[in-house]
Amino acid sequence: MLKTVVSVALPVGEHLKIRKNVIQGNHTGKRLCVVTGTHGDELEGQFVCYELARRLNEGLEHLHGSVEIYPALNPLGIDSIERGFPGFDLDMNRIFPGVQNGHLAENTAYEIVQDLLNADMVLDIHSSNIFLKEVMQVRVSDITAETLVPYAKLLNTDFIWIHDAATVLESTLAHSLNINGTKTLVVEMGIGMRITREYGERLVQGIFNLMQSMEMWSGENDSNIANSEELNKTLSNKTRNSSEPTIANSILSTNGEVHFMNADASGIIIPSALHSSFVVEGERLCQIVDPFEGKVLQDILSPVDGFLFTLRTYPIVYEGSLIARIYEEKK
Ligand SMILES: [Zn+2]
């Protein structure tokens, strides 16, 4: 059943409408909300919404409670291929929890939060930006880690990154909900303006794992997704639990350290290493080159042995830009 969450009149007679699809199961139970499209250039979540709705509609007799799907929290951004909230030059994930009767964007943020509060679980799906490719990961702040990591592990991701509280932005949707007692998991995966089908399918499988643990799903939950060749490659350095084939054995960041690599020069990136691979200390990740003079401006080498989970794929780079993040496991 489609419901309107926010409807605001725009200056020339149009309406800003944020809608959700409430999929009600045949039995009572909990409420899970899946939201995406806060950043208009991040589209990986669209496939997840489609596939989740499709599978749920085929098995409503197994659904206990309701799943609410919000494909577009920033519909104007999606329609205009803009990351932010158009017209305000505003990152929508920096204005939560919003302001009641505030300006258009603030009020929209407020209404979204009010609608999501009291859900039993919220999943907020992001997909990096057009510059950086991200491995499928859950991001959790350390103040919520104890509560959220057990759920995050069900989502079938390669990585769970637990951030310092200090680096968590207080104005994000996830933070606003978590501090008000509504459990919210943030998934980052793939790349802006693209859909990575394999990630989407794995996450949908993870959402069913999550629903099973919340006693929201009593149907089948088998899939060969976690046995896919690509995932096995990604997870080759880790032990898999063969009795639970649909749950990937995520790397947990608390056992090690995340290293950031930034550009020392502006230029063109020529890639070397493969995203989502395990790299060794001294291995070349990429080079920044000068196309005028044919010179290498910077050779970017891995400082450690580790898992290359973020990699810049957009070739133009400016001094200071993030190039890669590598997770080093401490022995
Ligand atoms: Zn985002």
Side-chain angles (χ1 to χ4, degrees):
M1 189 203 322
L2 294 184
K3 286 190 177 171
T4 299
V5 178
V6 176
S7 178
V8 191
L10 295 175
V12 285
E14 301 285 346
H15 266 80
L16 162 63
K17 260 193 190 169
I18 297 173
R19 299 191 304 166
K20 63 179 176 182
N21 183 11
V22 179
I23 301 177
Q24 186 63 54
N26 291 357
H27 314 272
T28 54
K30 290 180 174 162
R31 174 184 176 220
L32 167 69
C33 296
V34 176
V35 307
T36 192
T38 313
H39 292 131
D41 59 345
E42 301 180 19
L43 303 173
E44 301 270 13
Q46 300 305 314
F47 175 72
V48 176
C49 290
Y50 156 75
E51 184 63 8
L52 179 63
R54 189 187 69 76
R55 291 195 204 175
L56 288 170
N57 286 330
E58 282 179 2
L60 291 178
E61 68 274 23
H62 304 300
L63 177 60
H64 301 245
S66 62
V67 177
E68 303 190 358
I69 298 175
Y70 304 62
L73 291 190
N74 177 13
L76 299 180
I78 289 177
D79 283 342
S80 59
I81 325 176
E82 261 183 75
R83 183 171 178 79
F85 198 102
F88 293 83
D89 194 21
L90 193 69
D91 182 336
M92 211 170 143
N93 214 20
R94 301 289 177 273
I95 55 168
F96 287 103
V99 180
Q100 189 175 19
N101 303 321
H103 69 60
L104 179 65
E106 289 173 331
N107 188 60
T108 300
Y110 174 84
E111 297 293 344
I112 290 169
V113 168
Q114 297 310 304
D115 200 74
L116 292 169
L117 281 175
N118 304 321
D120 294 289
M121 181 69 70
V122 177
L123 198 61
D124 183 14
I125 304 168
H126 290 257
S127 39
S128 187
N129 52 43
I130 64 165
F131 305 107
L132 298 164
K133 186 172 182 186
E134 292 284 357
V135 88
M136 199 182 163
Q137 62 199 269
V138 188
R139 291 188 182 168
V140 176
S141 73
D142 59 4
I143 47 171
T144 55
E146 202 181 323
T147 313
L148 295 181
V149 166
Y151 296 102
K153 284 181 171 173
L154 299 168
L155 287 177
N156 225 359
T157 65
D158 297 313
F159 190 46
I160 298 171
W161 188 4
I162 299 172
H163 283 270
D164 289 347
T167 61
V168 173
L169 293 158
E170 292 188 355
S171 47
T172 63
L173 175 63
H175 183 80
S176 301
L177 291 171
N178 276 315
I179 56 162
N180 282 297
T182 302
K183 291 193 274 297
T184 304
L185 292 162
V186 176
V187 173
E188 271 284 0
M189 62 183 199
I191 189 159
M193 294 191 183
R194 294 290 181 271
I195 283 177
T196 312
R197 187 175 182 138
E198 186 230 341
Y199 283 167
E201 289 183 341
R202 280 175 48 196
L203 182 59
V204 171
Q205 191 60 39
I207 294 171
F208 277 90
N209 295 339
L210 181 67
M211 287 196 294
Q212 276 189 324
S213 85
M214 294 168 69
E215 299 181 332
M216 290 181 69
W217 184 252
S218 59
E220 282 188 22
N221 183 19
D222 58 344
S223 164
N224 56 9
I225 291 164
N227 292 321
S228 77
E229 213 176 300
E230 189 148 346
L231 180 60
N232 275 317
K233 247 187 289 166
T234 308
L235 303 175
S236 60
N237 285 14
K238 296 180 291 163
T239 348
R240 306 279 312 284
N241 185 345
S242 57
S243 67
E244 292 174 339
T246 60
I247 302 178
N249 194 2
S250 316
I251 300 171
L252 196 60
S253 72
T254 41
N255 303 325
E257 190 185 336
V258 173
H259 299 263
F260 291 69
M261 261 139 290
N262 294 79
D264 292 335
S266 301
I268 305 296
I269 285 197
I270 307 298
S272 298
L274 286 178
H275 180 259
S276 324
S277 64
F278 286 86
V279 293
V280 296
E281 186 180 342
E283 183 173 338
R284 179 184 292 151
L285 304 179
C286 61
Q287 289 178 313
I288 300 175
V289 303
D290 174 354
F292 283 101
E293 308 243 10
K295 282 183 183 161
V296 174
L297 302 172
Q298 189 185 358
D299 224 351
I300 298 182
L301 308 178
S302 177
V304 291
D305 292 356
F307 180 42
L308 181 58
F309 71 94
T310 305
L311 185 63
R312 190 174 180 94
T313 55
Y314 192 75
I316 307 288
V317 71
Y318 296 95
E319 189 181 339
S321 301
L322 182 64
I323 302 284
R325 284 187 281 236
I326 296 177
Y327 170 71
E328 179 198 16
E329 196 150 69
K330 295 288 184 216
K331 278 145 200 142

